[in-house]
Amino acid sequence: MGKYILPAIIDGGLLSPTKYFTFTKHNIYGEVVGIVLLVGLFFIALSKEKQEDEFISKIRVESLVWTMYINYAVLLLSILFIFGFSALWVVILNMYSILIFFIIRFRYCLYKSKQLVTDEK
């Protein structure tokens, strides 16, 4: 993807002056990848199961709460031990980690519950 002229609310860098409400020439590859990843993870995380019942809703809520605990624990440790420009990457990855942790935890709990049901039969 090449560079495109895009509207920007804030445009500035370390060595360039900050401009507000302007147009800028920018490579949009990072934004497109970020949006596609975020929307894809969102659809995966919040899609309904074929057999959606109270038990699955309970697993979904518990997974969401567990995800918040883990995500903010990771963020807290990152704030304490990661500095400089790397801290910006942690914040960026933190946006996606909530959905990723949720999907992993939710799918794992569904897998374990299905194993318990098949073991009882």
Side-chain angles (χ1 to χ4, degrees), residues 28-45:
I28 63 170
Y29 177 73
E31 285 78 8
V32 170
V33 168
I35 289 170
V36 168
L37 182 62
L38 192 61
V39 169
L41 287 171
F42 193 76
F43 281 141
I44 291 170

Side-chain angles (χ1 to χ4, degrees), residues 5-117:
I5 297 176
L6 301 169
I9 295 173
I10 299 173
D11 182 24
L14 293 175
L15 302 175
S16 62
T18 302
K19 296 180 259 177
Y20 301 96
F21 300 103
T22 185
F23 288 91
T24 184
K25 198 169 189 176
H26 186 69
N27 185 351
I28 63 170
Y29 177 73
E31 285 78 8
V32 170
V33 168
I35 289 170
V36 168
L37 182 62
L38 192 61
V39 169
L41 287 171
F42 193 76
F43 281 141
I44 291 170
L46 300 178
S47 62
K48 280 192 166 191
E49 296 296 311
K50 288 180 184 176
Q51 297 270 326
E52 189 83 23
D53 58 4
E54 294 85 19
F55 181 69
I56 292 178
S57 295
K58 181 180 178 271
I59 292 174
R60 194 178 296 275
V61 169
E62 287 174 355
S63 296
L64 186 59
V65 170
W66 180 88
T67 299
M68 290 298 152
Y69 289 148
I70 296 298
N71 191 60
Y72 285 108
V74 169
L75 183 60
L76 179 67
L77 291 172
S78 300
I79 289 170
L80 291 173
F81 299 113
I82 299 176
F83 305 102
F85 196 68
S86 298
L88 177 63
W89 282 106
V90 169
V91 171
I92 291 170
L93 293 174
N94 194 263
M95 292 187 303
Y96 302 106
S97 65
I98 293 173
L99 291 170
I100 292 169
F101 289 154
F102 173 77
I103 292 167
I104 292 170
R105 164 76 174 176
F106 180 66
R107 294 293 166 196
Y108 176 76
C109 288
L110 281 180
Y111 172 76
K112 292 303 273 184
S113 68
K114 286 179 184 177
Q115 269 193 335
L116 286 173
V117 170

